[in-house]
């Protein structure tokens, strides 16, 4: 199969998923897990467990911070969803870098971010980062360029006052960063093969149409759980998207702790033709990728939702949803279409159904009605996700060093 958007053969692993979906259709049999299982309710409520997640997951793992198109050459983008002030830059050499968004003089933020619920921050075109307190100036590669009245700083070597750089890399249209200084890593290796799927589907060439950044009263894993199974679509989404989907027909590919899924649409059961490209594939199924631990890519028929689910508190999720569209479908003629589409998916499906459900569950957790959640074989990917969190918290799940 050839994708006309990339003129490249479909990755063998993705072709195998398409074949498995076809077999599920032909045999009328759903792929299931080997057994059911449970998840402790305390994993959604216990402050100590949350602190462990902050330290071992959000504090150490590479986290998707932005789509590549959000940071053009000669720009800087603030990113603070990890609770640490970070600024992403792209200097003239084209490389994306990440720094603590902190002036080395008196600690002022170099570029202002935005609070959840406000208009999300956008990249600022700039030749350098200039502190608004005393105008200390840094190159986009982090080097200190200028200090006002530099002659008054006796005995201080300016070479020691460059910005504090964070490990950061870019692959398949995703900018990935760690929130504390350390060894470099390979984003391509971190994706463990999923990058080939994203490249084939054209993710690096997508561009941002709209972005929202909000906080809701639900543990972050409740929103992740919802995107890891198709079991709920028939009921929760019965009046919105279920008319377009088959009932819980999903095939999954595991790439380390990450996951790629094809969620069958009804069209696949009406006329199944091996897809020759992304658009044809998205008519048969909705590809959904989890970049562990907290990022989803959801490939709708003509656009992509890039969703980061961050964790500012045990009972809160910071929901950052970026709508990515094909570059040939931009401009004033397309704007009404994308506005309507974004409102439907964000305000109706996500906010009023998925997120509202997570908030309702969170309210019920303190009642003591449940000590564990019970998950069936159609929810096996939820169980796998929580198992991988346990492995990561225990130091048994690696996320890559200098070589990924």
């Amino acid at each position: 199969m050839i994708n006309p958007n990339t003129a490249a053969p479909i990755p063998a692993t993705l072709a195998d998923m398409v074949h498995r979906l076809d077999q599920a259709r032909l045999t009328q049999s759903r792929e299931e897990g080997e057994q059911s299982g449970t998840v402790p309710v305390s994993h959604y409520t216990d402050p100590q467990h949350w602190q462990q997640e902050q330290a071992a997951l959000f504090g150490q793992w590479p986290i998707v911070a932005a789509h590549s198109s959000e940071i053009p050459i000669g720009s800087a983008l603030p990113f603070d969803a990890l609770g640490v002030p970070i600024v992403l830059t792209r200097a003239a050499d084209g490389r994306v870098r990440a720094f603590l968004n902190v002036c080395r003089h008196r600690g002022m933020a170099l570029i202002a971010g935005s609070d959840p619920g406000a208009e999300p921050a956008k990249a600022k075109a700039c030749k350098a980062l200039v502190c608004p307190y005393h105008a200390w100036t840094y190159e986009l590669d982090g080097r200190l360029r200028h200090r006002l009245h530099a002659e008054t700083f006796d005995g201080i070597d300016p070479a020691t006052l460059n910005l504090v750089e964070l490990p950061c890399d870019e692959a398949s249209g995703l900018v990935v960063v760690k929130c504390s200084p350390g060894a470099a890593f390979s984003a391509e290796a971190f994706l463990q093969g999923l990058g080939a799927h994203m490249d084939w589907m054209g993710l690096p060439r997508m561009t941002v149409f709209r972005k929202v950044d909000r906080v809701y009263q639900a543990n972050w894993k409740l929103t992740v759980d919802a995107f890891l199974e198709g079991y709920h679509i028939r009921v929760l989404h019965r009046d919105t998207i279920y008319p377009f989907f088959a009932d819980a027909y999903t095939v999954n590919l595991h790439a380390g702790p990450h996951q790629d899924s094809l969620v069958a649409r009804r069209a696949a059961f009406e006329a199944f033709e091996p897809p020759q490209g992304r658009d044809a594939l998205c008519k048969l199924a909705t590809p959904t990728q989890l970049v562990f631990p907290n990022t989803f890519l959801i490939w709708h028929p003509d656009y992509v939702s890039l969703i980061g689910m961050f964790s500012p508190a045990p009972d809160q999720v910071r929901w950052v949803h970026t709508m990515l569209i094909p570059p040939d479908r931009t401009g004033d003629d397309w704007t009404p279409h994308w506005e309507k589409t974004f409102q439907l998916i964000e305000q109706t499906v996500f906010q009023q159904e998925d997120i509202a459900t997570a908030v309702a569950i969170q309210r019920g957790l303190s009642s003591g009605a449940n000590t564990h959640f019970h998950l069936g074989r159609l929810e096996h990917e939820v169980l796998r996700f929580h198992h991988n969190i346990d492995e990561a918290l225990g130091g048994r799940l690696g996320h890559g060093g200098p070589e990924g």
Side-chain angles (χ1 to χ4, degrees):
M1 291 182 252
I2 299 297
N3 184 340
N5 299 306
T6 63
I10 187 171
T13 48
L14 184 55
D16 179 66
M17 292 175 68
V18 171
H19 174 72
R20 287 163 50 203
L21 189 67
D22 190 21
Q23 291 304 302
R25 174 188 70 89
L26 291 172
T27 61
Q28 299 286 294
S29 59
R30 298 175 178 87
E31 290 195 2
E32 301 177 358
E34 295 182 358
Q35 59 186 11
S36 58
T38 62
V39 175
V41 166
S42 62
H43 286 190
Y44 300 89
T45 60
D46 180 30
Q48 184 176 357
H49 188 83
W50 177 79
Q51 290 285 1
Q52 292 176 331
E53 292 175 349
Q54 293 302 297
L57 282 179
F58 294 101
Q60 296 184 26
W61 274 73
I63 300 292
V64 176
H67 184 262
S68 296
S69 67
E70 295 184 76
I71 316 169
I73 288 178
S75 70
L77 175 71
F79 171 68
D80 60 3
L82 293 174
V84 176
I86 296 172
V87 60
L88 307 169
T89 68
R90 195 185 299 273
D93 61 3
R95 176 185 162 197
V96 170
R97 294 174 173 86
F99 305 97
L100 292 178
N101 186 16
V102 176
C103 181
R104 301 303 307 283
H105 174 216
R106 297 269 292 277
M108 178 64 180
L110 298 168
I111 182 170
S114 62
D115 295 326
E119 186 68 21
K122 296 181 180 179
K124 176 184 177 182
C126 55
K127 296 180 179 179
L129 298 172
V130 181
C131 179
Y133 197 5
H134 296 93
W136 280 36
T137 303
Y138 302 86
E139 304 285 2
L140 294 182
D141 63 8
R143 290 174 297 147
L144 177 63
R145 176 203 288 182
H146 171 74
R147 291 178 295 171
L148 185 65
H149 300 308
E151 71 280 359
T152 66
F153 291 88
D154 304 323
I156 301 176
D157 182 0
T160 66
L161 296 175
N162 295 331
L163 295 180
V164 176
E165 188 164 4
L166 302 175
C168 179
D169 198 25
E170 182 177 22
S172 303
L174 299 178
V175 177
V176 188
V177 65
K178 294 184 181 181
C179 71
S180 57
F185 69 94
S186 164
E188 180 180 5
F190 170 66
L191 292 174
Q192 300 199 43
L194 285 192
H197 294 198
M198 299 171 187
D199 291 341
W200 183 80
M201 297 180 74
L203 183 63
R205 291 179 298 281
M206 294 286 186
T207 187
V208 174
F209 175 75
R210 184 76 71 244
K211 188 172 188 174
V212 296
D213 182 347
R214 296 189 174 95
V215 171
Y216 298 97
Q217 300 303 308
N219 183 272
W220 70 283
K221 295 184 297 297
L222 289 175
T223 53
V224 173
D225 292 347
F227 286 82
L228 289 174
E229 47 89 0
Y231 179 45
H232 72 283
I233 295 177
R234 177 175 175 176
V235 179
L236 181 64
H237 302 306
R238 62 184 178 274
D239 297 323
T240 52
I241 62 173
Y242 176 60
F244 305 102
F245 283 87
D247 182 15
Y249 279 86
T250 304
V251 297
N252 302 289
L253 168 74
H254 298 157
H258 314 306
Q259 174 191 309
D260 205 345
S261 302
L262 293 178
V263 183
R265 300 175 72 88
R266 296 192 184 214
F269 287 75
E270 297 167 357
F272 193 99
E273 292 288 339
Q276 300 298 311
R278 179 192 67 226
D279 291 348
L281 175 61
C282 290
K283 291 177 181 177
L284 296 177
T286 295
T288 301
Q289 288 126 11
L290 165 65
V291 180
F292 187 85
N294 73 317
T295 302
F296 277 93
L297 286 158
I298 303 172
W299 295 80
H300 310 281
D302 58 352
Y303 67 99
V304 186
S305 288
L306 172 63
I307 303 172
M309 302 172 186
F310 301 92
S311 183
D315 60 351
Q316 292 183 343
V317 58
R318 185 169 180 176
W319 169 275
V320 182
H321 175 202
T322 306
M323 182 184 190
L324 302 169
I325 62 174
D328 60 347
R329 299 175 187 176
T330 60
D332 292 343
D333 290 345
W334 281 96
T335 295
H337 167 74
W338 294 128
E339 289 286 3
K340 180 179 179 181
T341 302
F342 183 76
Q343 297 305 319
L344 173 63
I345 194 66
E346 171 62 24
Q347 294 188 2
T348 303
V349 179
F350 291 158
Q351 291 186 26
Q352 297 180 20
E353 296 176 348
D354 290 306
I355 296 172
T357 296
V359 171
I361 293 171
Q362 188 72 37
R363 285 198 298 266
L365 294 180
S366 61
S367 69
N370 299 306
T371 60
H372 291 75
F373 290 154
H374 299 270
L375 293 92
R377 293 195 305 275
L378 288 174
E379 300 161 288
H380 55 102
E381 293 303 320
V382 179
L383 289 170
R384 177 177 178 268
F385 169 66
H386 285 269
H387 171 75
N388 283 334
I389 289 180
D390 291 341
E391 292 291 294
L393 298 191
R396 297 179 297 273
L397 187 63
H399 50 69
E403 300 302 324

